[in-house]
Coordinates of all heavy atoms in Angstrom, one line a residue:
M87 N 34.5 43.6 -9.2 CA 35.1 44.1 -8.0 C 35.8 43.0 -7.3 O 35.3 41.9 -7.2 CB 33.9 44.6 -7.1 CG 34.4 45.2 -5.8 SD 33.3 46.3 -4.9 CE 31.8 45.4 -4.8
I88 N 37.0 43.3 -6.8 CA 37.8 42.3 -6.1 C 37.9 42.6 -4.6 O 38.0 43.8 -4.2 CB 39.2 42.2 -6.7 CG1 40.0 41.0 -6.2 CG2 40.0 43.5 -6.6 CD1 41.2 40.7 -7.0
R89 N 37.7 41.6 -3.8 CA 37.8 41.8 -2.4 C 39.2 41.9 -1.9 O 40.1 41.5 -2.5 CB 37.0 40.7 -1.7 CG 35.6 40.6 -2.1 CD 34.9 39.4 -1.5 NE 34.9 39.7 -0.1 CZ 34.2 38.9 0.8 NH1 33.5 37.9 0.4 NH2 34.2 39.2 2.1
L90 N 39.3 42.5 -0.7 CA 40.7 42.7 -0.1 C 41.4 41.3 0.2 O 42.6 41.2 -0.1 CB 40.5 43.5 1.2 CG 41.8 43.9 1.8 CD1 42.6 44.8 0.9 CD2 41.6 44.7 3.1
D91 N 40.6 40.3 0.7 CA 41.3 39.1 0.9 C 41.7 38.4 -0.4 O 42.7 37.7 -0.4 CB 40.4 38.1 1.8 CG 39.0 37.9 1.2 OD1 38.6 38.7 0.2 OD2 38.3 37.1 1.7
S92 N 40.9 38.6 -1.5 CA 41.3 38.0 -2.8 C 42.6 38.7 -3.3 O 43.4 38.1 -3.9 CB 40.2 38.1 -3.8 OG 39.1 37.3 -3.4
L93 N 42.7 40.0 -3.1 CA 43.8 40.8 -3.5 C 45.1 40.3 -2.8 O 46.1 40.1 -3.4 CB 43.6 42.3 -3.2 CG 44.7 43.2 -3.8 CD1 44.8 43.1 -5.3 CD2 44.3 44.6 -3.4
K94 N 44.9 40.0 -1.5 CA 46.0 39.5 -0.7 C 46.5 38.1 -1.2 O 47.7 37.8 -1.3 CB 45.6 39.3 0.8 CG 46.7 38.8 1.7 CD 46.2 38.6 3.1 CE 47.2 37.8 3.9 NZ 46.6 37.4 5.2
A95 N 45.5 37.3 -1.6 CA 45.8 35.9 -2.1 C 46.5 36.1 -3.5 O 47.5 35.3 -3.7 CB 44.5 35.2 -2.3
K96 N 46.1 37.0 -4.3 CA 46.8 37.2 -5.6 C 48.2 37.7 -5.4 O 49.1 37.3 -6.1 CB 46.1 38.3 -6.4 CG 44.8 37.8 -7.0 CD 45.0 37.0 -8.2 CE 44.7 37.9 -9.4 NZ 44.4 37.1 -10.6
R97 N 48.5 38.5 -4.4 CA 49.8 39.0 -4.0 C 50.7 37.8 -3.6 O 51.9 37.7 -4.0 CB 49.8 40.0 -2.9 CG 51.0 40.9 -2.9 CD 50.8 42.1 -2.0 NE 49.7 42.9 -2.3 CZ 48.8 43.4 -1.4 NH1 48.9 43.1 -0.1 NH2 47.8 44.2 -1.8
I98 N 50.2 36.9 -2.8 CA 50.9 35.7 -2.4 C 51.2 34.8 -3.6 O 52.3 34.3 -3.8 CB 50.1 34.9 -1.3 CG1 50.1 35.7 0.0 CG2 50.7 33.6 -1.1 CD1 49.1 35.2 1.0
L99 N 50.2 34.7 -4.5 CA 50.4 33.9 -5.7 C 51.5 34.4 -6.6 O 52.3 33.7 -7.2 CB 49.0 33.9 -6.5 CG 49.1 33.2 -7.9 CD1 49.2 31.7 -7.7 CD2 47.8 33.5 -8.6
M100 N 51.6 35.7 -6.8 CA 52.6 36.3 -7.6 C 54.0 36.1 -7.1 O 54.9 36.3 -7.8 CB 52.3 37.8 -7.8 CG 51.1 38.0 -8.7 SD 50.8 39.8 -9.0 CE 49.7 39.7 -10.3
G101 N 54.1 35.8 -5.8 CA 55.4 35.5 -5.2 C 55.9 34.1 -5.5 O 57.1 33.8 -5.2
D102 N 55.1 33.3 -6.1 CA 55.4 31.9 -6.4 C 55.3 31.8 -7.9 O 54.1 31.6 -8.4 CB 54.6 31.0 -5.7 CG 55.0 29.5 -5.8 OD1 55.6 29.2 -6.9 OD2 54.7 28.7 -4.9
P103 N 56.3 31.8 -8.7 CA 56.2 31.8 -10.2 C 55.6 30.5 -10.7 O 54.8 30.6 -11.7 CB 57.7 31.8 -10.7 CG 58.5 32.3 -9.5 CD 57.7 32.0 -8.3
K104 N 55.8 29.4 -10.1 CA 55.2 28.1 -10.6 C 53.7 28.1 -10.4 O 52.9 27.7 -11.3 CB 55.9 26.9 -9.9 CG 57.3 26.6 -10.4 CD 57.8 25.4 -9.9 CE 59.2 25.1 -10.4 NZ 59.7 23.8 -10.1
A105 N 53.3 28.5 -9.2 CA 51.8 28.6 -8.9 C 51.2 29.6 -9.8 O 50.0 29.4 -10.2 CB 51.6 28.8 -7.4
F106 N 51.8 30.7 -10.0 CA 51.3 31.8 -10.9 C 51.1 31.2 -12.3 O 50.1 31.5 -13.0 CB 52.2 33.0 -10.9 CG 51.6 34.2 -11.6 CD1 50.5 34.8 -11.2 CD2 52.2 34.6 -12.8 CE1 49.9 35.9 -11.8 CE2 51.6 35.7 -13.5 CZ 50.5 36.3 -13.0
E107 N 52.0 30.4 -12.8 CA 51.9 29.8 -14.1 C 50.7 28.9 -14.2 O 50.0 28.8 -15.2 CB 53.2 29.1 -14.5 CG 53.3 28.6 -15.9 CD 54.6 28.0 -16.2 OE1 55.5 27.9 -15.3 OE2 54.8 27.8 -17.4
V108 N 50.6 28.1 -13.1 CA 49.4 27.2 -13.1 C 48.1 28.0 -13.1 O 47.2 27.6 -13.8 CB 49.5 26.3 -11.8 CG1 48.2 25.5 -11.6 CG2 50.7 25.3 -11.9
Y109 N 48.1 29.0 -12.3 CA 46.9 29.9 -12.3 C 46.6 30.4 -13.7 O 45.4 30.3 -14.1 CB 47.1 31.0 -11.3 CG 45.9 32.0 -11.2 CD1 44.9 31.7 -10.3 CD2 45.8 33.1 -12.0 CE1 43.8 32.5 -10.2 CE2 44.7 33.9 -11.9 CZ 43.7 33.7 -11.0 OH 42.6 34.5 -10.9
Q110 N 47.5 31.0 -14.4 CA 47.3 31.6 -15.7 C 46.9 30.6 -16.7 O 46.0 30.8 -17.5 CB 48.5 32.4 -16.1 CG 48.7 33.7 -15.4 CD 49.9 34.5 -16.1 OE1 50.9 33.9 -16.3 NE2 49.6 35.7 -16.3
K111 N 47.6 29.5 -16.8 CA 47.5 28.6 -17.9 C 46.5 27.5 -17.7 O 46.0 26.9 -18.7 CB 48.8 27.9 -18.3 CG 49.8 29.0 -18.8 CD 51.1 28.3 -19.2 CE 52.0 29.4 -19.8 NZ 53.3 28.9 -20.2
I112 N 46.1 27.2 -16.4 CA 45.1 26.1 -16.2 C 43.9 26.6 -15.5 O 42.8 26.5 -16.0 CB 45.8 25.0 -15.4 CG1 47.0 24.4 -16.2 CG2 44.8 23.9 -15.0 CD1 47.8 23.4 -15.5
I113 N 44.0 27.2 -14.3 CA 42.9 27.6 -13.5 C 42.1 28.7 -14.2 O 40.8 28.6 -14.3 CB 43.3 28.1 -12.1 CG1 44.0 27.0 -11.4 CG2 42.1 28.6 -11.3 CD1 43.2 25.8 -11.1
A114 N 42.7 29.7 -14.7 CA 42.0 30.8 -15.4 C 41.2 30.4 -16.6 O 40.2 31.0 -17.0 CB 42.9 32.0 -15.7
E115 N 41.7 29.3 -17.3 CA 41.1 28.8 -18.5 C 40.0 27.8 -18.3 O 39.3 27.5 -19.2 CB 42.2 28.2 -19.4 CG 43.2 29.3 -19.9 CD 44.3 28.7 -20.8 OE1 44.3 27.4 -21.0 OE2 45.1 29.4 -21.2
E116 N 39.9 27.2 -17.1 CA 39.0 26.2 -16.8 C 37.6 26.8 -16.5 O 37.4 27.5 -15.5 CB 39.5 25.3 -15.6 CG 38.6 24.2 -15.2 CD 38.5 23.1 -16.3 OE1 39.5 22.8 -17.0 OE2 37.4 22.7 -16.6
P117 N 36.6 26.5 -17.3 CA 35.3 27.0 -17.1 C 34.6 26.6 -15.9 O 33.7 27.2 -15.3 CB 34.5 26.6 -18.4 CG 35.3 25.5 -19.0 CD 36.7 25.7 -18.6
L118 N 35.0 25.4 -15.3 CA 34.4 24.9 -14.1 C 34.6 25.9 -12.9 O 33.8 25.9 -12.0 CB 35.1 23.5 -13.8 CG 34.6 22.8 -12.6 CD1 33.1 22.4 -12.7 CD2 35.4 21.6 -12.3
F119 N 35.7 26.6 -12.9 CA 36.1 27.5 -11.8 C 35.7 29.0 -12.1 O 36.0 29.9 -11.3 CB 37.6 27.5 -11.5 CG 38.1 26.1 -11.3 CD1 39.2 25.6 -12.0 CD2 37.4 25.2 -10.4 CE1 39.6 24.3 -11.8 CE2 37.9 24.0 -10.2 CZ 39.0 23.5 -10.8
S120 N 34.9 29.2 -13.1 CA 34.6 30.6 -13.5 C 33.7 31.3 -12.4 O 33.8 32.5 -12.2 CB 33.8 30.7 -14.8 OG 32.6 30.0 -14.7
G121 N 33.0 30.6 -11.6 CA 32.1 31.2 -10.6 C 32.8 31.3 -9.2 O 32.2 31.8 -8.3
K122 N 34.0 30.8 -9.1 CA 34.7 30.7 -7.8 C 35.4 32.1 -7.5 O 35.7 32.8 -8.4 CB 35.7 29.6 -7.8 CG 35.2 28.3 -8.0 CD 34.3 27.8 -6.9 CE 33.8 26.4 -7.2 NZ 32.7 26.0 -6.4
T123 N 35.6 32.4 -6.3 CA 36.2 33.6 -5.9 C 37.7 33.5 -6.2 O 38.2 32.4 -6.4 CB 36.1 33.9 -4.4 OG1 36.7 32.8 -3.7 CG2 34.6 34.0 -4.0
E124 N 38.4 34.7 -6.3 CA 39.8 34.7 -6.7 C 40.6 33.9 -5.6 O 41.5 33.2 -6.0 CB 40.3 36.1 -6.8 CG 39.8 36.8 -8.0 CD 40.2 36.2 -9.3 OE1 41.4 35.8 -9.4 OE2 39.4 36.0 -10.2
K125 N 40.3 34.0 -4.4 CA 41.2 33.3 -3.4 C 41.0 31.8 -3.5 O 41.9 31.1 -3.3 CB 40.9 33.8 -2.0 CG 39.6 33.5 -1.3 CD 39.6 34.1 0.1 CE 38.4 33.6 0.8 NZ 38.4 34.1 2.2
I126 N 39.8 31.3 -3.9 CA 39.6 29.9 -4.1 C 40.4 29.5 -5.4 O 41.1 28.4 -5.4 CB 38.1 29.5 -4.2 CG1 37.4 29.7 -2.9 CG2 38.0 28.1 -4.7 CD1 38.0 28.9 -1.8
K127 N 40.4 30.3 -6.4 CA 41.2 30.0 -7.6 C 42.7 29.9 -7.3 O 43.4 29.0 -7.8 CB 40.9 31.0 -8.7 CG 39.6 30.9 -9.3 CD 39.4 32.0 -10.3 CE 38.0 32.1 -10.9 NZ 37.8 33.1 -11.9
V128 N 43.1 30.8 -6.4 CA 44.5 30.8 -6.0 C 44.8 29.6 -5.2 O 45.9 28.9 -5.4 CB 44.9 32.1 -5.2 CG1 46.2 32.0 -4.5 CG2 44.8 33.4 -6.1
A129 N 43.9 29.2 -4.3 CA 44.1 28.0 -3.5 C 44.2 26.8 -4.4 O 45.0 25.9 -4.2 CB 43.0 27.9 -2.5
L130 N 43.4 26.7 -5.5 CA 43.4 25.6 -6.4 C 44.7 25.6 -7.2 O 45.2 24.5 -7.4 CB 42.2 25.7 -7.4 CG 40.8 25.4 -6.8 CD1 39.8 25.9 -7.7 CD2 40.7 23.9 -6.6
A131 N 45.2 26.7 -7.5 CA 46.6 26.7 -8.2 C 47.6 26.2 -7.3 O 48.5 25.4 -7.7 CB 46.9 28.2 -8.6
F132 N 47.6 26.6 -6.0 CA 48.6 26.0 -5.1 C 48.4 24.5 -4.8 O 49.3 23.8 -4.7 CB 48.6 26.8 -3.7 CG 49.3 28.1 -3.7 CD1 48.7 29.3 -3.6 CD2 50.7 28.1 -3.9 CE1 49.4 30.5 -3.6 CE2 51.4 29.2 -3.9 CZ 50.8 30.4 -3.8
Y133 N 47.1 24.1 -4.8 CA 46.8 22.7 -4.6 C 47.4 21.9 -5.8 O 48.0 20.8 -5.5 CB 45.3 22.5 -4.6 CG 44.9 21.0 -4.7 CD1 45.0 20.2 -3.6 CD2 44.4 20.5 -5.9 CE1 44.6 18.8 -3.7 CE2 44.0 19.2 -6.0 CZ 44.1 18.4 -4.9 OH 43.8 17.1 -5.1
L134 N 47.2 22.3 -7.0 CA 47.7 21.6 -8.2 C 49.3 21.6 -8.1 O 49.9 20.5 -8.4 CB 47.2 22.2 -9.5 CG 45.8 22.0 -9.8 CD1 45.4 22.8 -11.0 CD2 45.4 20.5 -9.9
K135 N 49.9 22.7 -7.8 CA 51.3 22.8 -7.8 C 51.9 21.8 -6.7 O 52.8 21.1 -6.9 CB 51.8 24.2 -7.5 CG 53.3 24.3 -7.3 CD 53.6 25.6 -6.6 CE 55.0 25.5 -6.0 NZ 55.1 25.9 -4.7
C136 N 51.3 21.9 -5.5 CA 51.7 21.0 -4.4 C 51.5 19.6 -4.7 O 52.3 18.7 -4.2 CB 51.0 21.5 -3.1 SG 51.6 23.1 -2.5
S137 N 50.4 19.2 -5.4 CA 50.1 17.8 -5.7 C 51.2 17.3 -6.6 O 51.7 16.2 -6.5 CB 48.7 17.7 -6.4 OG 47.7 18.0 -5.4
V138 N 51.5 18.1 -7.6 CA 52.5 17.6 -8.6 C 53.9 17.5 -8.1 O 54.7 16.6 -8.3 CB 52.5 18.5 -9.9 CG1 53.6 18.2 -10.8 CG2 51.1 18.3 -10.6
L139 N 54.3 18.5 -7.2 CA 55.6 18.6 -6.7 C 55.8 17.8 -5.4 O 56.8 18.0 -4.7 CB 56.1 20.0 -6.6 CG 56.1 20.8 -7.9 CD1 56.5 22.3 -7.6 CD2 57.1 20.2 -8.9
S140 N 54.7 17.1 -4.9 CA 54.7 16.4 -3.7 C 55.1 17.3 -2.5 O 55.9 17.0 -1.6 CB 55.7 15.2 -3.7 OG 55.4 14.3 -4.8
E141 N 54.4 18.4 -2.4 CA 54.6 19.4 -1.3 C 53.3 19.6 -0.6 O 52.9 20.7 -0.2 CB 55.1 20.7 -1.9 CG 56.4 20.7 -2.6 CD 56.8 22.0 -3.2 OE1 55.9 22.8 -3.4 OE2 58.0 22.2 -3.5
R142 N 52.5 18.5 -0.3 CA 51.2 18.6 0.3 C 51.3 19.2 1.7 O 50.3 19.8 2.2 CB 50.5 17.3 0.3 CG 50.1 16.9 -1.1 CD 49.2 15.7 -1.1 NE 48.9 15.4 -2.5 CZ 47.7 15.1 -2.9 NH1 46.7 15.2 -2.1 NH2 47.5 14.8 -4.2
E143 N 52.4 19.0 2.4 CA 52.5 19.6 3.8 C 52.5 21.1 3.7 O 52.1 21.8 4.7 CB 53.7 19.0 4.5 CG 55.0 19.4 3.9 CD 55.5 18.5 2.8 OE1 54.8 17.5 2.5 OE2 56.5 18.9 2.1
K144 N 53.0 21.7 2.6 CA 53.0 23.1 2.5 C 51.6 23.7 2.2 O 51.4 24.9 2.5 CB 53.9 23.6 1.4 CG 55.4 23.4 1.7 CD 56.2 23.9 0.5 CE 57.7 23.7 0.8 NZ 58.5 24.3 -0.3
L145 N 50.7 22.9 1.7 CA 49.4 23.4 1.3 C 48.6 23.9 2.5 O 47.9 25.0 2.4 CB 48.6 22.3 0.6 CG 47.2 22.7 0.0 CD1 47.4 23.7 -1.0 CD2 46.5 21.5 -0.5
K146 N 48.7 23.3 3.6 CA 47.9 23.8 4.8 C 48.4 25.2 5.2 O 47.6 26.0 5.5 CB 48.1 22.8 6.0 CG 47.3 21.6 5.9 CD 47.5 20.7 7.2 CE 46.7 19.4 7.0 NZ 46.8 18.6 8.2
E147 N 49.7 25.4 5.2 CA 50.2 26.7 5.5 C 49.8 27.7 4.5 O 49.4 28.9 4.8 CB 51.7 26.6 5.6 CG 52.4 28.0 6.0 CD 52.0 28.5 7.3 OE1 51.7 27.7 8.2 OE2 52.1 29.7 7.6
L148 N 49.8 27.4 3.2 CA 49.4 28.3 2.2 C 47.9 28.6 2.3 O 47.5 29.8 2.1 CB 49.7 27.7 0.8 CG 51.2 27.6 0.4 CD1 51.4 26.8 -0.8 CD2 51.7 29.0 0.2
L149 N 47.1 27.6 2.6 CA 45.6 27.9 2.8 C 45.4 28.9 3.9 O 44.6 29.8 3.8 CB 44.9 26.6 3.0 CG 44.7 25.7 1.8 CD1 44.0 24.4 2.3 CD2 44.0 26.3 0.7
R150 N 46.2 28.7 5.0 CA 46.1 29.6 6.1 C 46.5 31.1 5.7 O 45.8 32.0 6.1 CB 46.9 29.1 7.3 CG 46.7 29.9 8.6 CD 47.6 29.5 9.7 NE 49.0 29.8 9.4 CZ 49.6 31.0 9.4 NH1 48.8 32.1 9.6 NH2 50.8 31.2 9.1
L151 N 47.6 31.2 5.0 CA 48.0 32.5 4.5 C 47.0 33.2 3.6 O 46.8 34.4 3.7 CB 49.4 32.4 3.8 CG 50.6 32.1 4.7 CD1 51.8 31.9 3.8 CD2 50.9 33.3 5.6
I152 N 46.4 32.4 2.8 CA 45.5 32.9 1.8 C 44.2 33.3 2.5 O 43.5 34.2 2.1 CB 45.2 31.9 0.7 CG1 46.5 31.7 -0.2 CG2 44.1 32.3 -0.2 CD1 46.4 30.6 -1.1
G153 N 43.8 32.6 3.6 CA 42.6 32.9 4.3 C 41.5 31.9 3.9 O 40.3 32.3 3.9
V154 N 41.8 30.7 3.5 CA 40.8 29.7 3.0 C 40.7 28.7 4.1 O 41.7 28.1 4.5 CB 41.2 29.1 1.7 CG1 40.2 28.0 1.3 CG2 41.2 30.2 0.6
N155 N 39.5 28.4 4.6 CA 39.2 27.4 5.6 C 39.5 26.0 4.9 O 39.0 25.7 3.8 CB 37.8 27.5 6.0 CG 37.5 26.5 7.1 OD1 37.7 25.3 7.0 ND2 36.9 27.0 8.2
E156 N 40.3 25.2 5.6 CA 40.7 23.9 5.0 C 39.5 23.0 4.8 O 39.4 22.3 3.7 CB 41.7 23.2 6.0 CG 42.3 22.0 5.4 CD 43.3 21.3 6.3 OE1 43.8 22.0 7.3 OE2 43.6 20.1 6.1
S157 N 38.5 22.9 5.7 CA 37.4 22.0 5.4 C 36.5 22.6 4.3 O 36.0 21.8 3.5 CB 36.6 21.9 6.7 OG 36.1 23.1 7.1
Y158 N 36.4 23.9 4.2 CA 35.7 24.4 3.0 C 36.4 24.1 1.7 O 35.7 23.7 0.7 CB 35.5 26.0 3.2 CG 34.9 26.6 2.0 CD1 33.5 26.5 1.8 CD2 35.6 27.3 1.0 CE1 32.9 27.1 0.7 CE2 35.0 27.8 -0.1 CZ 33.6 27.7 -0.3 OH 33.0 28.3 -1.4
F159 N 37.7 24.2 1.7 CA 38.5 23.9 0.5 C 38.3 22.4 0.1 O 38.2 22.1 -1.0 CB 39.9 24.2 0.7 CG 40.8 24.1 -0.5 CD1 40.5 24.9 -1.6 CD2 41.7 23.1 -0.6 CE1 41.3 24.8 -2.8 CE2 42.5 23.0 -1.8 CZ 42.2 23.9 -2.9
R160 N 38.3 21.5 1.1 CA 38.0 20.1 0.8 C 36.7 19.9 0.1 O 36.5 19.1 -0.8 CB 38.1 19.3 2.1 CG 39.5 19.0 2.5 CD 39.6 17.8 3.5 NE 38.8 18.1 4.7 CZ 39.2 18.6 5.8 NH1 40.5 18.9 6.0 NH2 38.4 18.8 6.9
G161 N 35.7 20.7 0.6 CA 34.4 20.7 -0.1 C 34.4 21.1 -1.5 O 33.8 20.6 -2.4
V162 N 35.2 22.2 -1.8 CA 35.4 22.7 -3.1 C 36.0 21.6 -4.0 O 35.6 21.3 -5.1 CB 36.2 24.0 -3.2 CG1 36.6 24.3 -4.6 CG2 35.5 25.1 -2.5
L163 N 37.1 20.9 -3.4 CA 37.8 19.9 -4.2 C 36.8 18.7 -4.5 O 36.9 18.1 -5.5 CB 39.0 19.4 -3.4 CG 40.2 20.3 -3.4 CD1 41.3 19.7 -2.5 CD2 40.7 20.6 -4.8
S164 N 36.0 18.4 -3.5 CA 35.1 17.2 -3.7 C 34.0 17.6 -4.8 O 33.4 16.6 -5.3 CB 34.4 16.8 -2.4 OG 33.5 17.8 -2.0
S165 N 33.8 18.8 -5.0 CA 32.8 19.2 -6.1 C 33.4 19.1 -7.5 O 32.6 19.1 -8.5 CB 32.3 20.6 -5.8 OG 33.2 21.6 -6.1
V166 N 34.7 18.9 -7.6 CA 35.3 18.8 -8.9 C 35.3 17.3 -9.2 O 35.8 16.5 -8.5 CB 36.8 19.3 -8.8 CG1 37.5 19.0 -10.2 CG2 36.9 20.7 -8.4
P167 N 34.7 16.9 -10.4 CA 34.6 15.5 -10.7 C 36.0 14.9 -10.8 O 37.0 15.6 -11.3 CB 34.0 15.5 -12.1 CG 33.2 16.8 -12.2 CD 34.0 17.8 -11.3
Y168 N 36.1 13.6 -10.5 CA 37.4 13.0 -10.4 C 38.2 13.0 -11.8 O 39.4 13.3 -11.8 CB 37.3 11.5 -9.9 CG 38.6 10.8 -9.8 CD1 39.4 11.1 -8.7 CD2 38.9 9.8 -10.7 CE1 40.6 10.4 -8.6 CE2 40.1 9.1 -10.5 CZ 41.0 9.4 -9.5 OH 42.2 8.8 -9.4
P169 N 37.5 12.7 -12.9 CA 38.2 12.8 -14.2 C 38.8 14.2 -14.5 O 39.9 14.3 -15.0 CB 37.2 12.4 -15.2 CG 36.1 11.6 -14.5 CD 36.1 12.2 -13.1
V170 N 38.1 15.2 -14.1 CA 38.5 16.6 -14.3 C 39.7 16.8 -13.4 O 40.7 17.4 -13.9 CB 37.4 17.6 -14.0 CG1 37.9 19.0 -14.1 CG2 36.3 17.4 -15.0
K171 N 39.7 16.4 -12.2 CA 40.8 16.6 -11.3 C 42.0 15.9 -11.8 O 43.1 16.5 -11.8 CB 40.4 16.0 -9.9 CG 41.3 16.6 -8.8 CD 40.9 16.0 -7.4 CE 39.5 16.2 -7.0 NZ 39.1 15.7 -5.7
C172 N 41.9 14.7 -12.3 CA 43.0 13.9 -12.8 C 43.6 14.7 -14.1 O 44.8 14.8 -14.2 CB 42.6 12.5 -13.2 SG 42.3 11.5 -11.8
E173 N 42.7 15.2 -14.9 CA 43.2 15.9 -16.1 C 43.9 17.2 -15.7 O 45.0 17.5 -16.3 CB 42.0 16.3 -17.0 CG 42.4 17.1 -18.2 CD 41.2 17.8 -18.9 OE1 40.0 17.3 -18.7 OE2 41.4 18.7 -19.6
L174 N 43.4 17.9 -14.7 CA 44.1 19.1 -14.2 C 45.5 18.8 -13.6 O 46.5 19.5 -13.9 CB 43.3 19.8 -13.2 CG 42.0 20.4 -13.7 CD1 41.1 21.0 -12.5 CD2 42.2 21.5 -14.7
I175 N 45.6 17.7 -12.9 CA 46.9 17.3 -12.3 C 47.8 16.9 -13.5 O 49.0 17.3 -13.5 CB 46.7 16.2 -11.3 CG1 46.1 16.8 -10.0 CG2 48.1 15.6 -10.9 CD1 45.7 15.8 -9.0
E176 N 47.3 16.2 -14.5 CA 48.2 15.9 -15.6 C 48.6 17.1 -16.4 O 49.8 17.2 -16.8 CB 47.4 14.9 -16.5 CG 48.2 14.5 -17.8 CD 49.4 13.7 -17.4 OE1 49.5 13.0 -16.4 OE2 50.4 13.8 -18.2
R177 N 47.8 18.0 -16.6 CA 48.1 19.3 -17.3 C 49.2 20.0 -16.5 O 50.1 20.6 -17.1 CB 46.9 20.1 -17.6 CG 46.0 19.6 -18.7 CD 44.7 20.4 -18.8 NE 44.9 21.8 -19.0 CZ 43.9 22.7 -18.9 NH1 42.7 22.3 -18.6 NH2 44.2 23.9 -19.1
T178 N 49.1 20.1 -15.2 CA 50.0 20.7 -14.4 C 51.4 20.0 -14.4 O 52.4 20.7 -14.5 CB 49.5 20.8 -12.9 OG1 48.3 21.4 -12.9 CG2 50.5 21.5 -12.0
S179 N 51.3 18.7 -14.4 CA 52.6 17.9 -14.6 C 53.3 18.2 -15.9 O 54.5 18.4 -15.9 CB 52.2 16.5 -14.4 OG 53.4 15.7 -14.6
Q180 N 52.5 18.3 -17.0 CA 53.1 18.6 -18.3 C 53.6 20.0 -18.3 O 54.7 20.3 -19.0 CB 52.0 18.4 -19.4 CG 51.6 17.0 -19.6 CD 52.7 16.1 -20.0 OE1 53.6 16.5 -20.7 NE2 52.7 14.9 -19.4
L181 N 53.0 20.9 -17.6 CA 53.4 22.3 -17.6 C 54.8 22.4 -16.9 O 55.7 23.2 -17.3 CB 52.4 23.1 -16.8 CG 52.6 24.6 -16.7 CD1 52.4 25.2 -18.1 CD2 51.6 25.2 -15.8
F182 N 55.1 21.6 -15.9 CA 56.3 21.7 -15.1 C 57.4 20.9 -15.9 O 58.6 21.2 -15.7 CB 56.2 21.1 -13.7 CG 55.4 22.0 -12.8 CD1 54.8 21.6 -11.7 CD2 55.2 23.4 -13.1 CE1 54.1 22.4 -10.8 CE2 54.5 24.2 -12.3 CZ 53.9 23.7 -11.1
K183 N 57.1 20.0 -16.7 CA 58.1 19.2 -17.5 C 58.6 20.0 -18.6 O 59.7 19.9 -19.1 CB 57.5 17.9 -18.0 CG 57.3 16.9 -17.0 CD 56.7 15.6 -17.6 CE 56.4 14.6 -16.6 NZ 55.8 13.4 -17.1
A184 N 57.8 20.9 -19.2 CA 58.2 21.8 -20.3 C 59.2 22.8 -20.0 O 59.5 23.2 -18.9 CB 57.0 22.4 -20.9

């Protein structure tokens, strides 16, 4: 069952082709995020996209649109081990180079 706010987040994600590609090829395949809600997975896809493309100022606005609390999202990010986070950013970077 998908919640209404997660559905809204997916709709926003589909409006951004690069973030959608990150979601499909990286976030959806990562077992670490299997227990997270859809809107958190969408927020992670935007985080990776914004990190690689140096658009971090846009991330706050996207989190607000998706409906994710910024401090809660920072907690989610801190639960991801640093080597995994680096690997995800590298995979995202390679995805945009291709």
